[in-house]
Amino acid sequence: TNATANRPSYMIDDQIERAKMWIVEEQERRTLIAVNNALMHVSKTYATSELAKELGFKSATILNTTLHNQGIQYKCNGTWMLYAKYTGLGLVETKQDFAKNGYLYYNLRWTQKGRAFVIALFADREVA
């Protein structure tokens, strides 16, 4: 009934209704745990170009410039870095790699949390 639907299962007097409600609550709880585990344990990182494409930017360069203009990142020795306000939040990982000529370079990669952060920045905006 409607009166029981709005109450937690432990507050329902009828045992059958309480059991039904507990099953629904348990299914919801398990779904939330599965989603949380999937998000928390995904180790994939994203290139800025991937985020730019997902958000509808014409290029990673435009997204990087936009993030710079919003005070989120700056360029240091050719590598984008987050301003202090955003470091230590788990938004990015800096990957070290070697070019074919042996030159060492660093590449900023966005974590799942960072991806969600960037997407939220542009949730209500038209992008170029």
Side-chain angles (χ1 to χ4, degrees):
T1 65
N2 276 346
T4 60
N6 295 328
R7 295 190 297 177
S9 60
Y10 65 85
M11 293 182 70
I12 298 172
D13 294 330
D14 181 87
Q15 289 182 346
I16 293 173
E17 288 299 315
R18 185 170 53 239
K20 288 179 185 177
M21 184 58 71
W22 180 84
I23 290 169
V24 170
E25 290 171 353
E26 183 63 15
Q27 289 171 333
E28 289 172 356
R29 185 185 75 79
R30 289 181 183 188
T31 299
L32 288 172
I33 288 171
V35 168
N36 184 58
N37 287 342
L39 291 174
M40 296 305 288
H41 298 292
V42 171
S43 60
K44 177 177 174 26
T45 57
Y46 301 86
T48 304
S49 57
E50 291 177 274
L51 296 181
K53 185 174 183 175
E54 184 175 357
L55 290 165
F57 282 88
K58 291 180 183 173
S59 70
T61 302
I62 295 171
L63 176 55
N64 277 323
T65 301
T66 304
L67 292 171
H68 171 72
N69 292 340
Q70 291 183 355
I72 294 167
Q73 64 182 11
Y74 64 98
K75 211 164 202 178
C76 178
N77 296 324
T79 302
W80 287 105
M81 307 290 289
L82 297 184
Y83 280 107
K85 176 179 178 180
Y86 300 101
T87 59
L89 300 178
L91 301 177
V92 297
E93 292 179 1
T94 304
K95 300 290 184 177
Q96 182 176 310
D97 209 348
F98 290 95
K100 289 182 181 179
N101 64 3
Y103 176 74
L104 174 67
Y105 68 94
Y106 297 93
N107 189 13
L108 187 87
R109 302 278 302 181
W110 296 91
T111 62
Q112 287 282 25
K113 187 176 179 181
R115 176 182 169 269
F117 170 79
V118 173
I119 289 171
L121 288 173
F122 301 101
D124 298 327
R125 297 185 186 185
E126 289 290 320
V127 294

